[in-house]
Amino acid sequence: MAANYSFDIVSEFDRQELVNALDQATREIQNRYDLKDTKTTVELGEEAITINTDSDFTLDAVNSLIQTKAIKRNLSLKIFDYGKVESASGTRVRQEVKLKKGISQELAKQISKLIRDEFSKIQASIQGDTVRVTAKSKDDLQDVIQRLKQEDYPTPLQFTNYR
C-alpha cells in the first residue's frame, strides 16, 4: 500500500473567541472600580486591537485583563504583538496590539529544516503561510507533531488536515 499521509502546520486563532474575550474584558472594565471612570476603549480592528485609556497603570491593568480573558477562551498569548505605548490627547495613552496570523516565511523554513534534519523519511513543503508535512506512516507524522510541540516558536502552531 503506497498511500501517503499528511497534515498541515498552521498558525491561526478563532476570531469569534477573541471577540468574546474582548467583550468580556470591556464589560469588566466598565464594572471594575479602578477602571470604571477611565473612559477606556478597546477596539478590535481587522488585524489589530487598539486600547485607549487614562494612564500607563490602567493600560497594564487592561492588558492583563485581556490576557486573562483570552486564556480562559483557549487563545494563545502568542497571537498578541504589543506595539509601543503612544501618548494620545492630554494624559491619555494608546497602544496597538497586532494580531499574529499565519506562519512567516522565515519560520516555515526553520520548521521544514528541523523536519528534514531529524526525520529522513518525511517531506515538508511550504505552501504560502502553511507547511504541509507528508510521510508514508502515520506514526512518523505523530513523531513530528510531538517534536514540534517541544519547540517554543514565537507563534502558536496548530496541526490540521490530518489524513
Side-chain angles (χ1 to χ4, degrees):
M1 187 163 137
N4 274 348
Y5 301 101
S6 68
F7 69 89
D8 293 336
I9 304 170
V10 296
S11 178
E12 297 174 342
F13 60 90
D14 188 349
R15 187 163 179 87
Q16 188 57 50
E17 288 297 328
L18 180 64
V19 168
N20 293 343
L22 292 177
D23 253 1
Q24 288 179 338
T26 303
R27 269 189 255 121
E28 190 165 327
I29 288 168
Q30 293 167 353
N31 292 331
R32 261 179 54 174
Y33 71 96
D34 59 336
L35 299 173
K36 189 183 284 190
D37 297 326
T38 59
K39 295 184 178 72
T40 300
T41 60
V42 178
E43 298 172 7
L44 175 62
E46 199 61 37
E47 296 178 4
I49 300 169
T50 306
I51 304 168
N52 191 333
T53 188
D54 251 3
S55 64
D56 288 333
F57 173 74
T58 56
L59 181 64
D60 290 341
V62 169
N63 278 335
S64 68
L65 186 60
I66 290 173
Q67 290 173 356
T68 304
K69 299 300 181 186
I71 289 171
K72 285 184 181 175
R73 293 254 172 210
N74 294 327
L75 292 170
S76 173
L77 294 182
K78 292 180 180 180
I79 66 170
F80 300 123
D81 183 18
Y82 294 94
K84 66 178 181 141
V85 178
E86 308 164 350
S87 63
S89 61
T91 60
R92 298 183 66 76
V93 293
R94 178 185 314 122
Q95 184 176 34
E96 188 169 285
V97 182
K98 294 199 184 308
L99 301 170
K100 294 183 195 173
K101 194 170 192 174
I103 298 175
S104 68
Q105 210 55 16
E106 178 183 311
L107 182 60
K109 287 178 184 176
Q110 185 180 348
I111 290 171
S112 61
K113 182 178 180 343
L114 179 125
I115 293 171
R116 259 195 322 274
D117 292 348
E118 295 189 18
F119 303 95
S120 59
K121 297 179 182 177
I122 299 176
Q123 296 83 38
S125 61
I126 300 170
Q127 300 176 338
D129 60 354
T130 66
V131 178
R132 167 81 39 95
V133 181
T134 311
K136 291 196 185 296
S137 163
K138 285 186 175 182
D139 293 338
D140 291 342
L141 293 180
Q142 291 291 336
D143 293 341
V144 171
I145 290 174
Q146 292 307 314
R147 177 63 180 98
L148 290 174
K149 285 183 177 179
Q150 293 172 0
E151 293 292 315
D152 185 30
Y153 292 111
T155 58
L157 299 180
Q158 292 88 33
F159 308 102
T160 60
N161 294 338
Y162 187 83
R163 45 185 141 185

